[in-house]
Amino acid sequence: MAQKANTHPNKITFRTLFVKGDLPTKLSFFLMGTANLCNKQIPKGLIFLLSELLFFFWLIRNGVTALAMLQTLGTKKQGLMFDEKLGIEVLQKGDNSMLILLFGIAAILTCALMIYLYVINLKSARKLYVLKQENKPIPTTLDDLKSLLNERFHATLMTIPLLGVLLFTILPLLYMISIAFTNYDHNHLPPKQLFTWVAFKNFGNVITGDMASTFFPVLIWTLIWAVLATVTCFIFGVILALLINTKGIKGKKIWRTLFVLTMAVPQFVSLLIMRNLLNDAGPINSTLLNLGWIHSAIPFLTDPTWAKVSIIFVNMWIGIPVTMIITTGILQNLPTDQIEAARIDGANSFQIFRSITFPQILFVMMPSLIQQLVGNINNFNVIYLLTGGGPTNSNFYGAGNTDLLVTWLYKLTVDTMDYNLASVIGILIFILSAIFSLAAYTRTNSFKEG
């Protein structure tokens, strides 16, 4: 038993394998798949060998250039050059920093993938070495296929999704993160201009530099909005659910249906309708002026304070029904024996709600509330469709009084084309959301007791 434990594949290091292994095993360190080919695992060995050959072919032809140009992101500018043969100026194509950065990151990922495949090759060679040492049969190609379709079917099933994640998620994510460390802005737009690396200069500019006068007010409003939007929808949603579920209320299904209808209407439709209603010349102001209740239009969307209040109230109209439905489901599954026992002991309705009903609702909904809070930090639709981030603020760079970090990020990319600053804001939003989510969720009773 001890001998078998010592010869377990995981107990043998690659260094030991290279020293004690036979010739095919040692050659696997240089020519991938050699051990497999020599042990009649032809398809598996060919896959390793062809992968290595294709990798080095790509590396010599394109890879080295892509990795080398990643250091400077291009040196040749696009511009007019005098052609002596033609006697006129012609447009000379230059380097495209955007493509150089993209191809450079793709080259790094390709190298990382090849290293991973190389390690798999060595593990396969190690496994073959151990099997031969223990005089056990070598798995055939058919045995490997059966393994991939049975006990290792999960790995087979995940191969294509993992490649998709690598290509369509990790690569774009790394690309956008990399932009935060460049000067890719409206003054350095490829292909006419080049951009280059600037390290942490953009982060310093946003946090302590010129952008700080915009970043921190927008950050504070983002946090205030997220907390108020979450708390108001939660409190009034719970109250509405309690009112509808009160004994003696008739037509409960009708009331629930009426509020659920607001969820059936697409959110952007509701927001655009509310924008027209709250306009200075909209129906609400027109009606109030005709009745003589006001002498001038109420600036629901054009005054900074009024606009923020209007956004929170409109969000309540959209968010309260969601909380109401969740709370209704919780109320219908509350343990009635606890409530009846509390009533027998003389507790009134408020005491029952405070000690039994509300803690149960909060226990179940706390993870959802954290999710809603993070979602409100990134709530693009409500802000952009209702106010467009306005009213404008001359002291802010590219942002309005009601802009959140996420809507400011959008404007930095679309309006001002400062992609580096937008990438920095995106990274800071992610850090803020991740830290708060982890800190809040791990402190909830739902997490501790789950």
Side-chain angles (χ1 to χ4, degrees):
M1 296 294 291
Q3 187 177 358
K4 288 186 178 181
N6 290 332
T7 56
H8 191 276
N10 292 334
K11 298 292 184 178
I12 300 175
T13 63
F14 291 144
R15 182 179 179 180
T16 304
L17 182 68
F18 183 78
V19 173
K20 296 183 177 181
D22 54 11
L23 182 60
T25 302
K26 292 180 179 179
L27 286 176
S28 295
F29 283 82
F30 305 100
L31 289 176
M32 291 169 52
T34 306
N36 302 95
L37 291 172
C38 292
N39 287 279
K40 298 182 180 180
Q41 293 184 335
I42 306 300
K44 192 173 184 179
L46 287 176
I47 290 174
F48 283 134
L49 183 59
L50 288 175
S51 298
E52 183 178 12
L53 293 176
L54 289 173
F55 171 76
F56 279 105
F57 176 77
W58 164 83
L59 187 66
I60 295 171
R61 186 174 180 180
N62 299 313
V64 173
T65 303
L67 293 171
M69 294 190 71
L70 192 60
Q71 298 179 6
T72 60
L73 299 179
T75 56
K76 185 179 179 182
K77 294 183 178 181
Q78 178 176 299
L80 294 174
M81 297 292 292
F82 183 77
D83 192 321
E84 296 181 356
K85 293 182 179 180
L86 298 176
I88 58 173
E89 289 186 336
V90 295
L91 180 64
Q92 180 186 12
K93 291 185 178 180
D95 295 329
N96 190 324
S97 298
M98 184 172 63
L99 295 179
I100 291 173
L101 178 60
L102 180 62
F103 291 150
I105 295 173
I108 293 175
L109 290 178
T110 302
C111 293
L113 189 62
M114 189 60 204
I115 292 172
Y116 175 72
L117 194 61
Y118 178 74
V119 173
I120 293 177
N121 156 70
L122 294 182
K123 288 183 177 179
S124 179
R126 182 173 61 184
K127 182 178 179 181
L128 292 172
Y129 171 76
V130 171
L131 290 175
K132 291 173 70 175
Q133 290 293 109
E134 297 178 351
N135 294 320
K136 291 183 178 180
I138 304 298
T140 63
T141 301
L142 186 60
D143 294 332
D144 286 336
L145 288 175
K146 288 181 179 179
S147 175
L148 290 174
L149 295 176
N150 290 296
E151 61 266 20
R152 297 180 61 193
F153 182 68
H154 62 283
T156 306
L157 200 63
M158 289 298 294
T159 300
I160 295 177
L162 285 175
L163 290 175
V165 169
L166 183 67
L167 185 61
F168 298 108
T169 301
I170 296 179
L171 177 59
L173 185 62
L174 291 176
Y175 177 72
M176 296 307 298
I177 291 174
S178 300
I179 288 177
F181 300 93
T182 70
N183 59 348
Y184 185 12
D185 57 15
H186 59 277
N187 293 319
H188 303 86
L189 294 176
K192 293 183 179 181
Q193 293 94 15
L194 299 173
F195 60 81
T196 187
W197 300 106
V198 293
F200 290 92
K201 182 179 178 180
N202 295 322
F203 289 88
N205 189 22
V206 169
I207 297 175
T208 60
D210 297 337
M211 293 295 105
S213 59
T214 303
F215 172 72
F216 285 104
V218 174
L219 173 63
I220 292 170
W221 160 238
T222 299
L223 296 177
I224 293 173
W225 146 260
V227 172
L228 289 179
T230 305
V231 171
T232 52
C233 289
F234 171 69
I235 292 175
F236 288 102
V238 170
I239 293 174
L240 183 60
L242 290 171
L243 290 174
I244 294 176
N245 284 276
T246 303
K247 291 182 178 180
I249 297 294
K250 296 181 180 180
K252 293 182 179 181
K253 293 182 179 179
I254 297 175
W255 287 112
R256 290 195 191 105
T257 303
L258 289 175
F259 285 102
V260 170
L261 283 176
T262 61
M263 297 172 57
V265 179
Q267 190 181 85
F268 79 92
V269 174
S270 300
L271 292 171
L272 292 177
I273 291 174
M274 293 301 296
R275 181 174 183 171
N276 290 330
L277 291 175
L278 297 174
N279 196 280
D280 288 350
I284 294 178
N285 274 316
S286 299
T287 302
L288 294 176
L289 286 170
N290 291 334
L291 292 174
W293 292 1
I294 58 175
H295 299 290
S296 60
I298 300 175
F300 290 111
L301 304 177
T302 55
D303 179 78
T305 303
W306 273 104
K308 292 177 180 178
V309 174
S310 300
I311 288 170
I312 292 172
F313 272 94
V314 171
N315 184 72
M316 288 170 60
W317 166 258
I318 296 172
I320 285 176
V322 179
T323 305
M324 180 206 71
I325 293 175
I326 298 174
T327 305
T328 299
I330 298 172
L331 292 174
Q332 292 176 349
N333 290 278
L334 284 178
T336 55
D337 53 342
Q338 292 184 10
I339 297 175
E340 293 299 329
R343 286 175 179 168
I344 293 173
D345 291 339
N348 56 36
S349 298
F350 177 76
Q351 290 172 331
I352 292 173
F353 171 77
R354 184 186 63 185
S355 302
I356 300 176
T357 307
F358 186 73
Q360 290 285 348
I361 294 173
L362 197 61
F363 176 80
V364 175
M365 288 194 64
M366 184 55 72
S368 176
L369 287 175
I370 296 172
Q371 182 182 3
Q372 290 179 30
L373 182 62
V374 175
N376 282 322
I377 291 176
N378 297 286
N379 197 330
F380 179 86
N381 291 344
V382 173
I383 303 298
Y384 194 79
L385 293 176
L386 196 61
T387 65
T392 58
N393 190 325
S394 59
N395 296 321
F396 289 173
Y397 178 78
N401 283 286
T402 59
D403 267 316
L404 305 181
L405 289 175
V406 66
T407 56
W408 184 32
L409 182 154
Y410 174 79
K411 289 181 177 180
L412 285 173
T413 57
V414 175
D415 296 339
T416 62
M417 291 183 288
D418 291 321
Y419 299 101
N420 54 345
L421 296 178
S423 184
V424 171
I425 300 300
I427 293 172
L428 294 177
I429 291 174
F430 170 76
I431 294 173
L432 176 67
S433 301
I435 291 176
F436 181 82
S437 298
L438 291 173
Y441 185 69
T442 52
R443 283 169 173 77
T444 61
N445 291 330
S446 303
F447 177 79
K448 294 177 181 178
E449 297 182 18

